[in-house]
Structures are given as C-alpha cells and as structure tokens.
Amino acid sequence: MNKIIDQISEYVKEAFVSAGYDEKYGRVTVSNRPDLCQYQCNGAMPAAKEYKKAPIMIAGAVADELKKESAFSYVEAVNPGFININLSDEYIADYINKMSSDERCGCDKTDNPVKIVIDYGGPNVAKPLHVGHLRSAIIGESVKRINRFVGNEVVGDVHLGDWGLQMGLIITELKKRQPDLVYFDENYEGEYPSKPPFTIAELEDIYPTANAYAKEHPEFKEEAKNATFLMQNNNKGYIALWKHILNVSIADLKKNYEKLNVSFEKWGKESDAQQYIPDMVKYMKDEGYAYISEGALVVDVKEPDDTKEVPPCMILKSDGATLYNTTDLATIVERRKNENPDMIIYVADKRQSLYFEQVFRCAKKTKIIDPDTNLLFLGFGTMNGKDGKPFKTRDGGVMRLEQLLTEINDAVYKKVTDNKEIEDTLAHEIADKVSIAAVKYGDLSNQASKDYIFDIERFSSFEGNTGPYILYTIVRIKSILAKLDGKAQDITILPAASDTEKDLMLKLTKYNEVIFNACEESAPHKICQYIYELSDVFNKFYHDNRIISEEDDNRRNSWIKLLMLTQKVLETCIDLLGFEAPDRM
Ligand code: ARG
C-alpha cells in the first residue's frame, strides 16, 4: 500500500498542475500545528519565487482545486502561503479498511531487497557477558528484524572474540591450576579428551583471576602472550583447549542470548578470518597499498578534507603480530566470499567509531570490498547508572548481564504479584516477558548513539514511555476483544465517530511510513516513539468510549475491527523491537 502521505501528495501535486504550476511543489508534510490541521503543503512559497507571484495567490488557487476532492474535509490557504489540509473521515476510514484487510497491515515489502550482514553481539569467549554487550545485542537484533520485515535478506553474525589475549590468559591460568593436564604435555601423541577440563562456572572464574593476576605480574602476562602466540600458531594442545573453551562458552552464551530473545544465524568467530590474512596481507603489499612505517605494516587512510586526524590503519605490528584491525579486514574478505552482502552493519560501542572509519576506508581503498558495498557503523552510547557513570554493581564491580536481568525480573515480579491473587508460574511467565520489554524498550527508545541512564524503576513502570506501558495497552486490547469474543470478520470499519477515534485512525495510517523510515535510518527508536504515541491515542479512545456496552451492532463491530488492527500493528512493532506481550499483566 502507498504511504498515506504519498497519496495525499499525489492529490496536491495534481492540484498544482491544474492551477498551472509545477507538480514538484505539491509535496505534503504532517502538520506542525496539529491544532490547526492534519497535513500541510508549503510548496507555494518556493513556487512564488519561480512564478513571481504572491505565495498566498498560488496557495489559494491550489486550495480551490483541492476543495473539489472528497478526500479532504477542510482545505485552506493561509498567510503567507501555507495550504492546510484535513482528511475526510471517509478517506481515513477507507485507508484503515485497506490496512485492516491486508495481511501486513499495509506495509509492503521493499521492491529492491538487499542482502545484509549484521555484525552484532560481539561477546568475547570465556569472558562473562556484561552490560556493554547488552546494547549491541538489543539494537542489532531489532535492526535485523526490521530489515527482515521490510524484505531484505539478513544474516546476523555474532562475531565472537575468540582469538585474543584472553585465550592465552585462560590457558596460562589453567596450566597453573592443573599443570598435569595432557594439553600441556608437549610429547603427548594421543587423542585429547572430549570432556572439557572445566565447567562454565570454573571458566568464568579463571578469566577474571588471570586478568587481575596478569596486571600485577608481568612475567605471567608474558607467558599468556606467548600462549596466545602458540595457540595462534597451531600448538596442538592449546588448540584442543581453545576448542573446549569455545564449546563451553558458546553453550552458555546461547542460553543468555535466548533469555533476551536474541538469536544469530551465524556463530562466526574472529578465528574464522585468520586463514584469509596471509593472502590479504600479501595482496596489500604487492599492490602497493601497505608499506612499512616504524617497523609496522600500515595503509594510509587519511583523506584531503578530513577535519580530524585519521591515523593509518595498521595491518601488522612490528613483531608481525596481527591486530583487531587485521581480523576485521580479513572478516570482510571472508564475508565477501561467503555471503557477498550489499551491506555490512556493525553494531558496536561508539568509542570504536574512528577505528571502524579506518577499517572501512582501508577496505575501500585496497578494494578488498566492492566499491558499492555499504559499510555502516552503528555506534551506540554508554549505558549509565543513576550517578551518570557507566553502569556498575552496587559494590562498584562490572555488572554482569545475568545479574542485571535478574534484578529487573525481581522488580517486575514484585509488581505483578503485589496485592494480587496470581498463580506463581503465571506470575513468573509474565515477569519474564515484561522485564525483557522493560530492558529492551528502555534501551531502544533512545537514539542508539546517545548515552542513557538505566533506571530499573522507571523502565519497569506501567505508566509513561516504557515497555510495560506498551504491553499494558496490548493486554488491555486483548482483554476487551476476549469479552467481545472478536467476531467481526466481514465488517467494515466505519468513519470515526469522535475525535479520539479519528486520532487513533490517523496514527494507524502512519504505520508503513514509520517502519520504512526506521529501516532506512537503522533507527528502532522511531518505532518506539510511534507505538508510544499509538498507545496513548488508543488509551484516550478507550477512555472516551464504552466499547463493550455499545448497543449499535455496526459501531461495536467496527470498533472490534479497529481494535484488532491496533493490536496487530502494536504486536508487529514490538516483535520488531524484539519482545512480546503476555496475555495478562
Ligand atoms: N568483541 C568486541 C568487544 O567486545 C566487539 C566486536 C565488534 N565487532 C567487530 N567486527 N569488531 O569490544
């Protein structure tokens, strides 16, 4: 279905033409004075320059044409040359009926689907997930779902950090704890055990211990670096350990992501890209892109109109070691070979933005990626505590994701059970859904690049601009429909009978535009804003009308249909944000 704003613009363009002016002036926008009108066209002002006439004369002539259209209930030219427009109730109802009878509520798929790899999550193996990884998971999952809904082909890649120093630290710490393990015996010839020599709980203890110890003991850190080097160079025992670490870790990560309603099509790893590095480095050298500077191999990526300093992209350190950059570049080579995407979206902390700028420029300059491939960095801000500083546990430690989710779940559970008779399993089911909505909406309702304050109380409130408020609205609709037992299949929705009903309908008509806009701008917060407004107008409509006791069958059935449409739009939107509504709250 066409966006309603495009449909209205069509009328206004025709009116410009009928009045003797160019159609390009007929573009309509949503009114910035909703108290005066619903839509407006400001085209008479620029047209006045071209036609050397007073804008109000042009606006008046166009308005006269538009007044002939039954689509509009009110058209007026106002000084200095605005055209104010209201849609007729019939026209709105007609659009709403088309939405209601369409499977996708009027949001068609794109005509030009593209293939996208979204690199999000980015957890590091064996390090517990912390809140920093929360944002990547939440935002990436939503951007993926939005793109998929719009018809793009999307692969979500978790891009595990499994190749860095943390592996060497774990191996070294393990050697200290269990020196007799066969993995450390250089002369061992047999098969390595299939059972890992640690549990996830042990693994989660090993890394932080090793990390803290390495800070105080340089010789331990050296050993860990060496272990990393050996692992990266195929030491049999270390590779066997690396596999164990990976397996134990991935199983745990999957469990955690599942709780968040986040899933990946691809469990790609930094290590997967290593095989592409030698050829890539050779190619960059042979083609003259990479050169030695102070011992390191680098590619210049600065551009003439840079306003800030963009340092060269380092490909190899002076000791020949590869870096985070090298892996990301090689991953581009790998993705080009495997997925050949039109676009790669990276969802990571915005403090990595210069880093990604360097990587993208290097990839384009060296032509390891097609010039048409769109590389997009979606950088997110920091999640802060109420003190405005990065979110921490009460005793100042790094807040683990699991702990954070438990805390918010407890808070919601308390609300759900407070002064209420409710069966305990049900209460937990509800608390699970509502708490995920609280966390995700709390995050996604902010523009991704902004920092925000994580506030359990506010996020879990059932009122205001929160996830639970949206769920509450959906639950309310479900319960009304259950009472009316929802039989209104062949009914048409009648033109609005009140202003609140009209406001609800008008908000619904914006649906497809909002979704496409959120997709184009990789901006889930636009969907949040929309469903908040939609919930608000719905609740006003609800308070204004006695839906259940309405005696006129046609009116009541029309409302049932309107409610069903509202529910579907809201539920599709929250699905695109990555959460779902319970049946009651
Ligand atoms: N593992 C990294 C971290 O924890 C994030 C990875 C982001 N993605 C990427 N392709 N570099 O900071």
Side-chain angles (χ1 to χ4, degrees), residues 119 122 124 133 159 324 328 346 348 352 356:
D119 178 320
N124 300 308
H133 294 114
H159 196 68
Y324 189 41
D328 263 318
Y346 297 81
Q352 294 191 29
F356 276 104

Side-chain angles (χ1 to χ4, degrees), residues 16 20-25 43-55 58:
F16 266 89
Y21 305 103
D22 196 305
E23 66 159 35
K24 73 178 178 220
Y25 297 112
M45 263 77 74
K49 294 209 178 79
E50 181 183 333
Y51 295 98
K52 308 214 170 13
K53 279 190 190 166
I58 298 177

